[in-house]
Amino acid sequence: MADYGHELRFGIFVPPEAARGRALLRLVHHADEAGLEVLAVQDHPYQPAFLDTWTLLSYLAAVTRNLTLMPAVANLPLRPPAVLARAAASLDLLSGGRVELGLGAGAFWDAIEAMGGTRRDPGQALAALREAIAVIRALWGEGERSQLAGEFYPLRGAKPGPPPAHSIGIWLGVYGPRALRMTGELADGWLGGYSYAPPDRLPDLMATIDTGAREAGRVPALIRRAYVIDPTMTPTQLTEAALSHGISEFLLPVDPDGEEPVHHFATETVPAVRAAVAAARAGH
């Protein structure tokens, strides 16, 4: 593994807590004004204590200027990909090209079933994720009506459109070997986190993505890597993740009332990591 030379981006990863909605809006405004670049919002549609993620992202698109907005990650079993494709393209148009799309195969199956979703085993969930990517990309295209055979998400003549304002990246929030190889094969980025992938796991995970890319005839450096950090990680550790593991996007997990840690991250951590990575790259 190595540094793939991508521009670094920094942001926050937040839970859409309904009870603290106003605090969340203040936090996002602060992050936007502080120069952070990414807002990633958890998506758990079955969670009654949470605001709906797409509704929240749409509202935030209207009250921010700079932040890239993304669900991290959209719950496919409860968000049909054909509808999700049009929602993402619409928000991208309305926000001036500030949307990226995180996708997950699904988890918490009891809660998904309780909302009317279908329980899937790991193989089915991965196959459905593959089909979903094809559906979304087809409906973002500008060709004729789309016909896609599929066990989970067939298209039977759906017309593409509207096209998004920019080429929306699809980021997969996955950790298993088959899913990581699929990331290398099909996705624009990987979105992982410290809780499931502490730094000592990153070399193996990133190598598996690279293997999937090479097997598909792609260049591994094409796939960006985003990481929800542990708040205790130092600038030195983040710099190491960038230079040794190819991570180029770092997201601080923060509660809605976390303006102070966001301020510290934006004014202390981010400049230190940018400077260290720039110096290392210049030294090469």
Side-chain angles (χ1 to χ4, degrees):
M1 283 301 300
D3 174 21
Y4 286 132
H6 292 295
E7 178 184 359
L8 299 183
R9 299 203 307 171
F10 297 84
I12 56 175
F13 173 72
V14 301
E17 296 181 27
R20 294 196 281 177
R22 291 299 165 188
L24 179 58
L25 296 182
R26 289 192 297 270
L27 176 76
V28 170
H29 176 75
H30 179 68
D32 194 42
E33 293 296 316
L36 295 179
E37 295 134 315
V38 182
L39 170 66
V41 180
Q42 297 178 26
D43 185 36
H44 298 285
Y46 39 75
Q47 172 54 268
F50 282 0
L51 298 166
D52 174 71
T53 293
W54 270 108
T55 305
L56 176 62
L57 289 173
S58 299
Y59 183 92
L60 293 174
V63 298
T64 57
R65 297 180 297 173
N66 305 305
L67 289 168
T68 292
L69 311 162
M70 67 186 303
V73 287
N75 188 293
L76 275 176
L78 292 176
R79 298 194 185 274
V83 177
L84 188 59
R86 300 210 198 279
S90 299
L91 188 56
D92 196 56
L93 287 166
L94 293 170
S95 67
R98 291 192 289 128
V99 170
E100 295 286 284
L101 183 58
L103 293 180
F108 307 105
W109 292 104
D110 288 346
I112 288 169
E113 278 194 317
M115 286 281 288
T118 301
R119 183 182 294 269
R120 294 169 181 156
D121 64 34
Q124 291 171 327
L126 196 59
L129 178 59
R130 176 181 291 275
E131 288 186 18
I133 294 170
V135 166
I136 290 167
R137 290 225 166 101
L139 294 181
W140 284 344
E142 298 180 349
E144 297 300 320
R145 295 179 182 274
S146 297
Q147 300 279 351
L148 291 176
E151 179 184 354
F152 303 97
Y153 304 121
L155 290 182
R156 302 184 179 94
K159 189 173 182 179
H166 85 298
S167 180
I168 297 175
I170 293 178
W171 301 68
L172 300 189
V174 296
Y175 298 94
R178 289 188 299 163
L180 290 166
R181 287 195 296 273
M182 182 189 296
T183 302
E185 176 191 355
L186 297 176
D188 301 293
W190 174 77
L191 175 57
Y194 183 95
S195 297
Y196 296 98
D200 62 355
R201 287 196 64 200
L202 288 176
D204 287 342
L205 298 182
M206 298 303 98
T208 305
I209 292 173
D210 291 353
T211 296
R214 293 190 186 97
E215 289 174 348
R218 302 178 75 198
V219 177
L222 290 175
I223 296 95
R224 292 180 63 98
R225 327 300 162 111
Y227 193 59
V228 179
I229 68 172
D230 184 284
T232 65
M233 292 180 74
T234 66
T236 299
Q237 290 173 305
L238 301 187
T239 300
E240 172 69 14
L243 297 175
S244 298
H245 307 312
I247 305 296
S248 61
E249 307 210 3
F250 296 93
L251 303 175
L252 176 72
V254 62
D255 290 331
D257 56 1
E259 289 189 37
E260 184 175 341
V262 168
H263 178 77
H264 181 269
F265 185 65
T267 60
E268 302 290 338
T269 303
V270 170
V273 177
R274 288 194 191 280
V277 171
R281 288 174 173 174
H284 292 167

